Amino acid sequence: MNREFTTVAVVGAGTIGLSWTALFAAHGLNVRVSDPRPDVAEAVSATLTELAPHLAAQGLDVDRIAERVHVAADVTEAVRDADVVQESGPERIEFKKDLFATLIRQAPQHALLLSSSSAIPATAFTGEIDDAGRILIGHPFNPPHLIPLVEVVPGERTSPDVVEATVAFYTRVGRVPVVERKEIPGFVGNRLQTALSREAIYLVEQGVVTPAELDQVMTNSLGIRWATVGPFLGAHLGGGPGGYRHLAEHIGRSMNQMSLGQPSQRPEAQQRLIEAVEAAYGDASYADLAATRDRRQLAVLSALDSDHTKEN
């Protein structure tokens, strides 16, 4: 069944929620924002101004973006007429249990109830909710107005129709939804990110490279490759004409003999790592570093989009 999406409630106006707000509004949706922070109106206004160039670079019309966003007095007002609710609150099970129990009562019965949860599966906070069929995870990567991926992770009781509608919604706002077939803490993206992060920390702890040098290794090799083909296709190509089979049967054997490291759990080791990262990047402000990241990510997205257009 096709659904119309006209109004979205964003519950939680932190970094993720504000980015969602700008994205939804730029796609012509009416957005209702709820957050108890006292400066929520100022934060929303500043974010829309700051992110407008990013959205315009993606071909979106941002001339009237602010007119589509309303700061609600509370959650009840925000979700009253919502077709979709995107929760982006704290990563705490008890918080989500209480909030989604409220959303079930206050949001329209047709509304999709989506959580930006980074690691907690929907089943973990919906066990006591009778009508859990329209609750699931819609986990973005930061910042969601730029990074296309949304991990769509149904709970044990999520309706298949709701999953289908959720995919349609995220596609409607220019994202790339990937439905994951099993719930697992951290989902797929963050588990991959954590695995890489562990080895990165280990290599720095062992004195193999500094944090800045490790970042150079990534941005000048795997980062470029994975932005275009991903690990499995990259490995398939790495096997030459013989493909993944050749890689697995030959190079893969020596790679499998390599044992990965385990970062230290000692507080003093963590403190040394923090100081090393701060020594590498602490002189630059968060705003400057984020602006550089976003500018480069836009350039990558533009190149990929241009290549995709040529292929079609």
Side-chain angles (χ1 to χ4, degrees):
M1 179 177 68
N2 292 330
R3 299 196 187 198
E4 292 291 329
F5 303 109
T6 60
T7 301
V8 181
V10 174
V11 180
T15 301
I16 299 297
L18 290 171
S19 180
W20 276 131
T21 296
L23 176 73
F24 296 153
H27 278 273
L29 296 167
N30 298 313
V31 186
R32 305 289 181 260
V33 183
S34 172
D35 193 291
R37 59 187 289 185
D39 66 336
V40 59
E42 293 81 2
V44 168
S45 178
T47 297
L48 295 178
T49 299
E50 177 187 352
L51 302 188
H54 299 173
L55 297 162
Q58 298 175 63
L60 299 173
D61 183 3
V62 297
D63 288 343
R64 299 176 57 192
I65 187 173
E67 297 176 19
R68 303 187 189 106
V69 180
H70 169 74
V71 176
D74 53 28
V75 170
T76 298
E77 179 187 331
V79 306
R80 184 178 296 133
D81 301 314
D83 302 303
V84 178
V85 179
Q86 183 77 50
E87 174 268 326
S88 300
E91 193 78 357
R92 299 197 306 269
I93 290 180
E94 291 304 317
F95 170 85
K96 294 185 187 298
K97 282 183 179 179
D98 292 341
L99 176 60
F100 277 88
T102 299
L103 296 179
I104 284 290
R105 294 193 305 269
Q106 302 296 338
Q109 290 189 350
H110 72 277
L112 305 175
L113 305 180
L114 313 175
S115 174
S116 299
S117 171
S118 297
I120 303 172
T123 299
F125 58 85
T126 58
E128 300 173 7
I129 296 175
D130 291 335
D131 183 16
R134 54 198 176 110
I135 302 174
L136 70 164
I137 303 299
H139 172 238
F141 265 60
N142 187 26
H145 74 281
L146 285 184
I147 304 300
L149 175 69
V150 182
E151 295 180 282
V152 176
V153 191
E156 291 178 359
R157 293 185 288 155
T158 304
S159 163
D161 291 343
V162 166
V163 176
E164 182 180 347
T166 299
V167 168
F169 169 68
Y170 285 128
T171 302
R172 155 82 168 76
V173 294
R175 302 305 85 188
V176 177
V178 175
V179 178
E180 297 174 8
R181 293 168 176 79
K182 292 183 178 180
E183 289 184 298
I184 186 169
F187 317 123
V188 174
N190 275 338
R191 292 179 72 90
L192 292 172
Q193 185 169 240
T194 299
L196 179 61
S197 179
R198 283 177 180 162
E199 186 64 17
I201 292 170
Y202 176 77
L203 292 169
V204 171
E205 285 182 348
Q206 295 300 307
V208 179
V209 286
T210 66
E213 289 166 345
L214 188 135
D215 284 351
Q216 284 185 316
V217 169
M218 284 297 301
T219 57
N220 288 281
S221 62
L222 294 175
I224 298 171
R225 177 181 295 167
W226 288 346
T228 57
V229 295
F232 277 113
L233 178 52
H236 185 56
L237 293 170
Y244 193 81
R245 180 179 299 276
H246 177 79
L247 184 79
E249 293 176 351
H250 295 82
I251 303 173
R253 292 178 181 177
S254 60
M255 297 293 283
N256 289 336
Q257 294 173 4
M258 175 178 56
S259 60
L260 299 180
Q262 178 63 43
S264 172
Q265 301 296 315
R266 292 178 291 120
E268 57 269 29
Q270 183 180 51
Q271 184 60 33
R272 286 195 296 271
L273 178 66
I274 292 171
E275 291 173 356
V277 175
E278 289 175 342
Y281 300 116
D283 290 340
S285 70
Y286 168 80
D288 288 342
L289 291 171
T292 299
R293 175 201 66 190
D294 293 344
R295 183 176 65 253
R296 291 174 177 174
Q297 288 179 160
L298 275 168
V300 171
L301 289 169
S302 177
L304 292 173
D305 183 63
S306 175
D307 188 61
H308 178 73
T309 301
K310 291 177 181 178
E311 289 178 352
N312 292 314

